[in-house]
Amino acid sequence: MKAANEECHDEPLSSLPPFLQSSILITYRSVGLGLYGAIMRYAGMPLEKIALYMNSSQVSGKNQLRQAIHLTFQDGQTRSFLTPYKVVGPASGVAWFLQYSVMGMVFQLCDRSLSAVLGIPVMPYGAQLMEDPANDQFDQEENSTANKTKHGLKIILAPTFAGLVESMVSNRAEVQRFYGINKLAQVESTLKWNPISRICGPAFLANSSRNCIMSATSFVITPVLYRKYYTQEDKSKTSLFWFGLGVNIFLGNAIAITQQSLWGRSLDYACPKGDGSLARNIHYRTVIKDALNKEGIGAFLTVPKWASRVLMNAPVQGTLPWFYNEVLPLAEGALLSKSNEIYIGLQRPHKNVSPSTLARKLTKNSQDLSFANNESKTTATSPRLDR
């Protein structure tokens, strides 16, 4: 197994300072995740609205899916395919981008920081998922209970922090798409919350709980299970794509749907009868108790609720491990090469010196400095001949 202080990601090599290279790659991956997530979420807006209605108290009894579809496309007395997109404001576009970019950035920062503090490797990434775990070499210390505890602690903390921060930048926009722009403004005006509560938005606890589950599914469970337990001869980009979807659909969303339902019912509780002027603070115990009394466990978990959640979430979240580990690495080599040229250009003392020539000079100067330091140490520690 690689030493704890080694970079476990399969990152391209460059002559950039390690901290600068790490910062560039984290930013690149985060921006890529943000753009991918925003485009996919906007395209799937009708599916999201269906899922939101399915996991609220606005549908009940038989034919809940049909009721949710009817509400999704209802526009006054008519129906329109564009109705779901009318609740998407600029805040939603920004929030979608930030939701996935910040989630990716926070997870990477937490992963690297916790790994450095605890002295353990970072999570597997990119080509490393395709390696044969049978070739890993473990020493006695890595198999110790203390080391396993460190890994377990990091696996819990990294996606938890990522999910919490993701909710801070996305929950309010999600509530806006659930209520509508005007109704949310009315709810906020009635509740008169402080600035921090307004930023987090209503039902933040349920939203962050759901996001922690999905963050762990995408960045921890999928890559670890795939690398360690997927048949080695069957590993490929295609198999990673479908494996990620499978884990998302049958594990991540099977758990997250309960929190999604709690989120929707909490928002209905906060705005009774759909009237923002009657808004009230959410009491989760009351929400759960009322839901169980009316519909039992079906208030939080049914096949239609799960299916609607999968249709909304799986196209983007289920393919995230594939995009993160297979698509994003394709441009990392070119990005670091260009960054290296820019970095050398900024260090160039004369305009007529080429980047390649400067690189050789920097290397030579570094070697000369190292030799001079060694000579200085030798002189300082050797006995003087004139004594």
Side-chain angles (χ1 to χ4, degrees):
M1 193 67 174
K2 293 183 179 181
N5 60 347
E6 291 184 21
E7 185 63 53
C8 219
H9 294 335
D10 240 3
E11 294 180 348
L13 297 175
S14 76
S15 58
L16 292 168
F19 175 77
L20 180 58
Q21 174 172 322
S22 178
S23 299
I24 291 172
L25 289 177
I26 288 177
T27 302
Y28 161 74
R29 293 167 187 168
S30 301
V31 171
L33 287 173
L35 292 174
Y36 180 73
I39 293 172
M40 294 290 286
R41 288 292 294 273
Y42 183 78
M45 192 59 215
L47 296 175
E48 178 172 335
K49 286 295 291 182
I50 292 173
L52 291 178
Y53 282 124
M54 278 293 296
N55 293 284
S56 72
S57 58
Q58 297 182 49
V59 298
S60 60
K62 297 180 179 180
N63 299 319
Q64 292 187 14
L65 182 57
R66 182 182 299 177
Q67 296 176 45
I69 294 174
H70 175 78
L71 291 170
T72 297
F73 297 104
Q74 188 71 28
D75 187 6
Q77 299 299 319
T78 61
R79 292 185 183 182
S80 171
F81 179 76
L82 297 178
T83 301
Y85 295 97
K86 292 182 179 180
V87 298
V88 180
S92 291
V94 174
W96 277 330
F97 173 79
L98 292 177
Q99 178 178 355
Y100 290 95
S101 62
V102 170
M103 173 183 66
M105 178 173 288
V106 172
F107 178 82
Q108 291 176 78
L109 290 174
C110 288
D111 181 27
R112 293 171 186 240
S113 300
L114 290 171
S115 295
V117 171
L118 298 175
I120 56 178
V122 296
M123 295 300 299
Y125 170 78
Q128 193 180 18
L129 269 64
M130 302 298 168
E131 295 176 354
D132 189 349
N135 296 328
D136 292 344
Q137 296 180 355
F138 299 95
D139 55 32
Q140 188 173 2
E141 182 180 352
E142 288 178 327
N143 285 322
S144 66
T145 302
N147 196 65
K148 291 179 180 178
T149 302
K150 292 178 182 179
H151 280 279
L153 182 64
K154 188 188 75 168
I155 286 175
I156 294 173
L157 290 179
T160 297
F161 284 132
L164 286 172
V165 177
E166 178 188 357
S167 290
M168 290 185 68
V169 301
S170 67
N171 182 56
R172 187 178 182 278
E174 289 187 42
V175 175
Q176 184 183 82
R177 296 193 296 275
F178 183 88
Y179 283 148
I181 298 173
N182 295 330
K183 186 184 292 186
L184 175 59
Q186 190 178 24
V187 169
E188 290 179 330
S189 176
T190 302
L191 293 176
K192 298 179 180 179
W193 280 351
N194 59 58
I196 295 178
S197 297
R198 282 176 175 265
I199 292 173
C200 293
F204 176 81
L205 182 60
N207 185 278
S208 59
S209 176
R210 181 203 68 195
N211 286 339
C212 290
I213 293 170
M214 299 313 299
S215 176
T217 301
S218 296
F219 294 111
V220 177
I221 297 174
T222 296
V224 169
L225 289 182
Y226 184 84
R227 184 179 188 274
K228 287 190 174 183
Y229 302 109
Y230 202 85
T231 308
Q232 187 62 32
E233 53 268 23
D234 293 330
K235 286 184 177 180
S236 66
K237 294 180 179 180
T238 303
S239 64
L240 177 59
F241 178 89
W242 291 110
F243 183 82
L245 272 178
V247 173
N248 172 274
I249 292 172
F250 297 106
L251 180 59
N253 274 311
I255 301 173
I257 187 58
T258 59
Q259 302 308 299
Q260 179 71 24
S261 298
L262 177 61
W263 181 80
R265 288 181 173 274
S266 297
L267 292 179
D268 288 333
Y269 177 89
C271 186
K273 301 180 181 179
D275 188 349
S277 63
L278 301 176
R280 54 186 175 178
N281 289 318
I282 297 170
H283 190 263
Y284 285 103
R285 180 177 296 179
T286 302
V287 173
I288 296 172
K289 184 178 179 180
D290 289 347
L292 292 175
N293 288 338
K294 292 178 180 178
E295 301 182 42
I297 194 65
F300 300 102
L301 181 61
T302 64
V303 173
K305 289 180 185 294
W306 168 76
S308 65
R309 167 73 185 170
V310 165
L311 287 174
M312 177 198 80
N313 182 264
V316 55
Q317 195 87 31
T319 59
L320 212 61
W322 164 80
F323 181 80
Y324 181 71
N325 290 285
E326 295 296 337
V327 178
L328 288 178
L330 296 177
E332 289 182 356
L335 174 66
L336 288 179
S337 177
K338 190 64 178 178
S339 300
N340 193 49
E341 290 181 14
I342 295 174
Y343 177 76
I344 292 177
L346 293 174
Q347 303 295 320
R348 191 188 309 172
H350 302 290
K351 292 183 178 180
N352 59 346
V353 180
S354 66
S356 58
T357 302
L358 180 60
R360 289 195 296 270
K361 287 185 176 183
L362 289 174
T363 302
K364 185 176 185 303
N365 290 341
S366 177
Q367 293 173 345
D368 291 344
L369 180 61
S370 176
F371 177 77
N373 289 337
N374 290 335
E375 285 291 307
S376 176
K377 291 178 181 179
T378 303
T379 303
T381 56
S382 300
R384 294 180 57 180
L385 298 178
D386 57 350
R387 285 183 177 176

